[in-house]
Amino acid sequence: MDYQKELKEWYEHYEARYKKAVSLHIDEGSRHYQAFREIECRYVALYLVMELMQNLPKYLLQEDTEKRIKEVIMLILQQLFLGEVIVNEHRQKEYISRRIMLSREDTRSIEIYQAAENAIKRMDENAFAWKEDARFTAEFQADLFHIVQWMILAREMIVPVEKNKKGICA
């Protein structure tokens, strides 16, 4: 599967929707504001993913490869994070994520979730020591794709903006 091509299609889809929403001048008082913010969130996250995918070969040639890549991944994950960030009484940030329930009959969503879970494990275990290997780039792109696919699908379950659309992130 060509993960970069699939991500590019998603990016172009959300870019078009974002530009249309901006042209409508949706403000906080509009009933469409939450959908606008969600489309913006996905658009920005997919922009960061596309930038990382395109610049990955350049990042791999630099000395601080792991640091740079992890910084961009953290930006993507922050953008797609489902939940709230609060400051507790000790002035520390706490991340409260939303719980998503999947039906056993929804095998496609379960497969996407399991692929993302496996991708996260591989990224945690992955050492950037063999970064010059072409296999690393392919595996990294696949893992990033699966994580982003799950996070967008999960966001869609919480804030649906793809009603009557088939194929986006599924």
Side-chain angles (χ1 to χ4, degrees), residues 17 34 68 84 88 124-125 133 168:
R17 290 196 65 193
Q34 186 179 13
R68 286 183 186 272
E84 298 178 55
N88 66 17
D124 281 345
E125 297 167 356
D133 191 344
I168 299 298

Side-chain angles (χ1 to χ4, degrees), residues 13-28:
H13 170 78
Y14 282 109
E15 180 181 38
R17 290 196 65 193
Y18 177 71
K19 287 180 179 179
K20 181 180 178 186
V22 167
S23 72
L24 296 173
H25 305 291
I26 298 172
D27 62 358
E28 289 104 4

Side-chain angles (χ1 to χ4, degrees), residues 25-34 36-37:
H25 305 291
I26 298 172
D27 62 358
E28 289 104 4
S30 171
R31 66 185 180 105
H32 301 290
Y33 185 71
Q34 186 179 13
F36 168 71
R37 295 294 297 173

Side-chain angles (χ1 to χ4, degrees), residues 132-150:
E132 291 82 15
D133 191 344
R135 191 180 75 186
F136 172 82
T137 304
E139 285 181 11
F140 179 83
Q141 288 178 341
D143 289 344
L144 186 59
F145 171 83
H146 291 301
I147 293 167
V148 170
Q149 182 183 30
W150 165 249

